[in-house]
Structure formats: structure tokens, C-alpha cells
Amino acid sequence: MSQKKIQQIISPPAPHMVGDGFRVHSFFPGNSISNKRMSPFFLMDYNARIDFPAKKEPRGVDVHPHRGFETVTIAYHGSVAHHDSAGNSGVIEQGGVQWMTAGSGILHKEYHEENYSRQGGPFQMVQLWVNLPAKHKMSPPKYQAITKDRIGKYPLAGNSGTIEIIAGEYNGIQGPASTFTPIQMYNVRLVSAATADLQLPENYNTGLLTVQGSVVINGKKVPQDHFALFENEGVSISITAEDDSVVLVLSGEPIDEPVAAYGPFLMNTHEELQQAFEDYNKGRFGYLE
């Protein structure tokens, strides 16, 4: 089968703070990746591994609205607590994933979990914005709390690593996440010198983030904290670890619809954006202190 060709390897952009608890590299949209080039993934903020000092009052992001998409938070180190205007709350523990459908609208806040905040230590997260097709943009808000033990796992031969399936399927193992459009999302964990082979549909938009270690992907070196964007040709990807490595794999069927985005809203038209702001300002997203 023909290989997927790497179109671009992107170095981590300059970091910026989101609130006072997340120091992120925003890989897309931007960095020559348009707001449709990784569709259905619209945005990726990557908090590369850093150490936060202990703090009595947890750092984080205060109340903010969302409409028209989903947020997916993947915790590699540290833990994050959250609350929303629908009365939901919880903690995203290390190794877990939170898949939040904002849908028709929700108020949300997220911050370092209390025990982690008081102790400090390593912190590493990915947050994705996953677009919703027009017919689902006003779906009721919901959460999928995907704990580490629920994630599908495919062991590679010779104890050389594991494919963790968050969404989609790998070699008959299904991921737990329910998605509105076809998505494959994996963590590929490899010991040094091990190789993993993937087969992903040619028409899917595909990108890989090196969360830990340095890897060679289809013959090209991709260092830690770099993002590899693939062309929409070929199906096979070979990942060989130069060190013990973790690679986040994102691949999904594009949503071929207009995109209208502003701030925390991701809609199809300017009129829908105006309606979102009106609904938010009139308190139709509920209330959250």
C-alpha cells in the first residue's frame, strides 16, 4: 500500500498563556494550516511538558462559553478539574480524556485539580476543538469522561509498545469515544527502536504530534513537540521510535461545509455567530460562577 506523504513538519510555535494555568503552543489553525486543512479538527493547543510550582489557589481558565463544536482534552501529566453551566463537574486524571460536546451552548471553566495544584509538578496536555457538522451544531451539550482504563489498547509484538485507541478502531480494537463524524484518534506508545504501522483512509485529514521522544515517520525525523501534517494521498504510516516515545495520531473525514469562527464559537455562517453572541449575552447558555 502506498505511503502517506508528509506535507510539512511544524516546529512548536511560540507559547502563550490561556488563563494562568495552560502554557500552550497553538499548532492550528495557523502555521500555514488553514481552518479546514485538518478538518474535522479545527484547533490544537498543546501544553508541552513543563513543571508548575505548588500553589494554594489553583491556576486555570475562568468561565467562558462554547457553541458549535466539541473540546477534547487529553491529559499526559497533571490533572484538570472542570465545571459547567449544566451542573456537570469532574476531574481529568493523568492518562484520561474528556470529550465535551458544547453543541447548542455551554459555559465552562477548567483549572488545575486541587491536589495537583498544591503539590505542583509536571503538566502536559492537548486540547482539540473538533468541529460539528451543521445538522449537529445545536445538539444538547454532553460529556464523555474517558478514564485511562476505558481506552482501547492494542499490544504490539515483543512488548515493543501499545496503541491506545481513544476514538475509531485499530486492528479490531474499538475506542470508547462516540463521535459525530468518522475520526481515528490514537496514542502510539513505543519503546526505543520499535516500529508501529498504521493504515488510515487516503481522504482523511491526518496529523501526528510527537508528545514524547523523537521518531522517524515514513523516513522523516519528527522531533519531540513537533507536528507532522500529511498530504491526502496514500494510506500507510510507519512510525519508528528513536527513544521511548509517545505520538498522538489525529485522522478524520473532512467536514465539507462553510466555517464561520470567532472567539469561542464555531458555526457555519456570520448570522449564526451573531445569534450565538446574542444568546450568550441574554443568558441562554445558563449561569456559572
Side-chain angles (χ1 to χ4, degrees):
M1 293 185 181
S2 59
Q3 282 192 339
K4 278 188 176 293
K5 185 178 178 181
I6 294 178
Q7 176 181 324
Q8 186 180 5
I9 297 173
I10 302 169
S11 301
H16 65 276
M17 294 300 296
V18 177
D20 66 353
F22 303 90
R23 181 181 179 271
V24 303
H25 306 275
S26 295
F27 277 96
F28 59 84
N31 302 299
S32 74
I33 303 179
S34 72
N35 60 18
K36 282 192 171 184
R37 183 60 187 84
M38 272 297 293
S39 174
F41 310 100
F42 178 80
L43 173 147
M44 184 173 75
D45 278 349
Y46 172 48
N47 192 131
R49 181 170 173 167
I50 58 172
D51 284 313
F52 276 107
K55 191 173 186 289
K56 184 177 180 181
E57 295 297 324
R59 301 172 177 88
V61 183
D62 208 351
V63 178
H64 54 283
H66 292 307
R67 172 180 279 182
F69 62 100
E70 302 180 288
T71 65
V72 179
T73 304
I74 307 169
Y76 293 97
H77 294 280
S79 55
V80 174
H82 64 91
H83 285 83
D84 73 21
S85 54
N88 298 303
S89 64
V91 175
I92 313 164
E93 301 283 2
Q94 182 170 314
V97 178
Q98 182 208 64
W99 201 298
M100 181 186 84
T101 303
S104 60
I106 202 165
L107 302 181
H108 188 233
K109 63 179 180 179
E110 48 206 329
Y111 42 91
H112 294 182
E113 185 271 331
E114 186 174 343
N115 288 332
Y116 166 77
S117 184
R118 289 178 176 174
Q119 296 174 9
F123 191 85
Q124 187 177 26
M125 302 270 165
V126 169
Q127 185 170 94
L128 302 160
W129 289 13
V130 180
N131 195 11
L132 290 171
K135 64 183 179 180
H136 295 304
K137 281 195 177 292
M138 298 299 284
S139 296
K142 69 173 184 177
Y143 279 96
Q144 300 176 71
I146 303 172
T147 53
K148 183 177 181 179
D149 62 311
R150 290 187 57 220
I151 293 173
K153 295 176 179 64
Y154 183 88
L156 298 173
N159 295 318
S160 59
T162 305
I163 310 293
E164 296 178 348
I165 305 98
I166 299 167
E169 177 269 344
Y170 181 85
N171 277 8
I173 304 296
Q174 193 73 31
S178 171
T179 65
F180 286 84
T181 59
I183 287 173
Q184 307 278 51
M185 187 182 298
Y186 315 141
N187 279 318
V188 178
R189 297 182 181 270
L190 297 173
V191 302
S192 181
T195 296
D197 294 311
L198 311 177
Q199 305 288 330
L200 297 166
E202 188 168 48
N203 66 307
Y204 280 23
N205 289 330
T206 300
L208 274 62
L209 174 70
T210 51
V211 174
Q212 176 187 319
S214 180
V215 297
V216 175
I217 302 174
N218 288 356
K220 290 191 176 182
K221 182 170 180 173
V222 185
Q224 182 169 311
D225 300 334
H226 285 58
F227 185 80
L229 175 69
F230 288 81
E231 296 182 0
N232 296 101
E233 295 181 5
V235 297
S236 66
I237 295 175
S238 178
I239 305 170
T240 299
E242 295 189 325
D243 321 285
D244 290 353
S245 299
V246 180
V247 178
L248 174 62
V249 177
L250 305 174
S251 188
E253 184 176 72
I255 298 173
D256 187 18
E257 294 176 350
V259 171
Y262 191 86
F265 305 131
L266 181 53
M267 307 302 293
N268 296 107
T269 68
H270 181 68
E271 291 73 22
E272 289 171 340
L273 285 178
Q274 289 180 312
Q275 186 65 54
F277 276 102
E278 180 180 335
D279 290 346
Y280 168 61
N281 289 329
K282 290 185 175 180
R284 293 173 182 156
F285 286 24
Y287 296 92
L288 182 64
E289 295 183 354

